[in-house]
Amino acid sequence: MRKFHLSAAIAAAALALPAYPAAAQTSEITIGITTTTTGPAAALGIPERNALEFVPKEIGGVPLKIIVLDDGGDPTNATTNARRFVTESKADIIMGSATTPPTIAVSNVANEAGIPHFGLAPFPVTPERAKWSVVMPQPVPIMGKVLYEHMKAHNIKTVGYIGYSDSYGDLWFNDFKAQGVAMGLTLADEERFARPDTSVTGQVLKLVAANPDAILVGASGTAAALPQSALRERGYKGLIYQTHGAASMDFIRIAGPSAEGVIMASGPVMSPETQPDSALTKKPGLALDTAYEAKYGPNSRSQFAGHSYDAFEVLKRVIPVALKTAKPGTPEFREAIRQALLSEREIAASQGVYNWTEKDRSGLDDRSRIILTVKDGKYVPAM
């Protein structure tokens, strides 16, 4: 079994480094991964780390050196980790993190240093982060649209929103205003909570008082179960919609009976068995879920495991292309990786089929989404 270089969340102060040293050619490809294996978002980062057990040990005949550090979900730690990958590890590729705020931090470092970066959480790719970063998870507008369409199909007119008081919560709230309102839905109330919060009673009482037809929860991981449970405990009877950030079996375990009937956007990795054989996502999804559940138990599959696993599915396509023109450990190799991400088309993975461009840094389309509900404690396709 491959050994990973793991670290606890390191110093809280980011390293202020004025410049990055040039890398020397090496005989291996170094991949630095910062994710969240401790703290409130560990339920997202641990599956991302676990999935690394099922990725290749070499690509194109070149060994992979994978270094994994924990950032605890903190953007400052993620920044420090990313700079360590640049200055100490001389990484060819950087991945991370598990949640939006630290992923933004990693992207900033990667684009400053000129290293390909695979974001493992949804995050806004602004012009200054666009050259070197791509996003593995489905973008919020693709996942939001399928939820709003479901709302419209079920005669929902008013929607309450409760989400994180951070950039992830903002992504979903802004998308609802941009897409949902344009489709005729009306916002009844907006509430926020912090990721470490253990109670949302005040916010839920306001939502219940507003009495919307449905409620959208803009949260991720096990914390998404907090408003789900609180809403049902306070007697809310309407439909509750969860984002793809909640798509894991842990959500059902934590939410318990209150998870019944939830409507959830998800990547296809959560249910590859129900996909047609023609779906390009079916084979990699089955491969990941079979290996993951053999190691971690039945029904342990996770949307988040798919993000890191799929990054290596992508590398299986782009590294051989890059190796034709450059050697690992050099700026030329990093540039060749970046170019191959743009030139390779229809890159099939468990969560979608990637076709990146200079402007489209998510590279995904409607093949990257499904819609699920929970029935008798299990995910099934939603109607």
Side-chain angles (χ1 to χ4, degrees):
M1 179 182 298
R2 185 179 324 145
K3 296 181 180 179
F4 298 108
H5 303 274
L6 301 177
S7 165
I10 56 182
L15 298 176
L17 299 175
Y20 297 108
Q25 179 178 320
T26 67
S27 59
E28 59 188 2
I29 298 168
T30 301
I31 302 171
I33 304 173
T34 177
T35 188
T36 305
T37 54
T38 59
L44 286 66
I46 290 174
E48 290 180 353
R49 182 195 63 191
N50 290 348
L52 299 177
E53 299 181 40
F54 315 117
V55 303
K57 295 180 175 63
E58 59 85 21
I59 296 176
V62 180
L64 304 183
K65 179 183 179 181
I66 301 175
I67 304 168
V68 182
L69 298 178
D70 174 32
D71 55 42
D74 183 275
T76 300
N77 291 341
T79 297
T80 303
N81 289 350
R83 285 182 169 157
R84 284 184 62 182
F85 294 147
V86 175
T87 60
E88 298 177 15
S89 306
K90 309 297 189 295
D92 297 294
I93 297 157
I94 297 176
M95 299 181 186
S97 179
T99 61
T100 299
T103 300
I104 293 172
V106 176
S107 177
N108 289 336
V109 174
N111 276 271
E112 178 184 343
I115 297 177
H117 166 235
F118 292 76
L120 302 182
F123 73 103
V125 183
T126 54
E128 63 269 20
R129 295 193 287 265
K131 182 174 181 179
W132 292 96
S133 288
V134 295
V135 187
M136 294 308 299
Q138 302 87 342
V140 168
I142 285 180
M143 305 305 268
K145 184 180 179 183
V146 73
L147 294 181
Y148 313 141
E149 288 173 344
H150 188 275
M151 292 177 187
K152 293 290 291 183
H154 289 76
N155 298 315
I156 288 170
K157 294 180 173 57
T158 59
V159 180
Y161 179 78
I162 180 169
Y164 286 148
S165 54
D166 64 17
S167 49
Y168 185 81
D170 292 344
L171 281 173
W172 274 97
F173 182 66
N174 292 336
D175 186 70
F176 176 80
K177 290 191 298 182
Q179 287 199 97
V181 172
M183 293 170 65
L185 300 169
T186 298
L187 178 69
D189 184 40
E190 176 201 358
E191 302 293 334
R192 298 297 186 102
F193 68 103
R195 289 175 185 264
D197 286 353
T198 58
S199 174
V200 290
T201 300
Q203 297 95 318
V204 163
L205 288 174
K206 293 177 182 178
L207 285 167
V208 172
N211 195 30
D213 298 331
I215 291 174
L216 173 64
V217 180
S220 59
T222 54
L226 182 62
Q228 179 82 24
S229 299
L231 284 162
R232 294 308 188 205
E233 289 167 1
R234 294 291 173 172
Y236 182 71
K237 302 296 185 183
L239 286 176
I240 301 176
Y241 289 80
Q242 291 276 355
T243 74
H244 57 312
S248 73
M249 297 305 297
D250 283 334
F251 173 83
I252 296 177
R253 177 177 58 83
I254 299 298
S258 69
E260 288 291 304
V262 67
I263 305 297
M264 184 177 291
S266 171
V269 73
M270 290 301 293
S271 187
E273 298 88 350
T274 62
Q275 298 172 49
D277 291 341
S278 59
L280 297 181
T281 52
K282 184 170 187 172
K283 183 177 179 180
L286 287 173
L288 172 58
D289 288 351
T290 299
Y292 200 96
E293 294 185 347
K295 177 69 180 289
Y296 294 102
N299 298 319
S300 59
R301 65 184 61 180
S302 167
Q303 163 112 358
F304 313 108
H307 299 330
S308 56
Y309 180 85
D310 284 355
F312 285 83
E313 292 296 287
V314 172
L315 291 180
K316 284 159 63 174
R317 286 281 299 273
V318 302
I319 284 177
V321 175
L323 288 171
K324 293 178 181 178
T325 59
K327 299 295 184 181
T330 65
E332 291 79 11
F333 183 69
R334 298 195 291 269
E335 172 63 19
I337 290 286
R338 189 184 76 83
Q339 291 292 343
L341 287 171
L342 298 173
S343 64
E344 292 298 293
R345 316 312 295 162
E346 294 288 280
I347 306 175
S350 73
Q351 291 278 58
V353 182
Y354 293 91
N355 291 282
W356 284 293
T357 68
E358 291 282 10
K359 293 184 178 180
D360 182 2
R361 308 309 286 173
S362 74
L364 292 170
D365 54 27
D366 289 353
R367 291 174 290 180
S368 68
R369 69 185 189 188
I370 60 175
I371 189 164
L372 301 173
T373 188
V374 175
K375 183 177 181 182
D376 299 326
K378 297 180 180 179
Y379 285 113
V380 298
M383 301 302 291

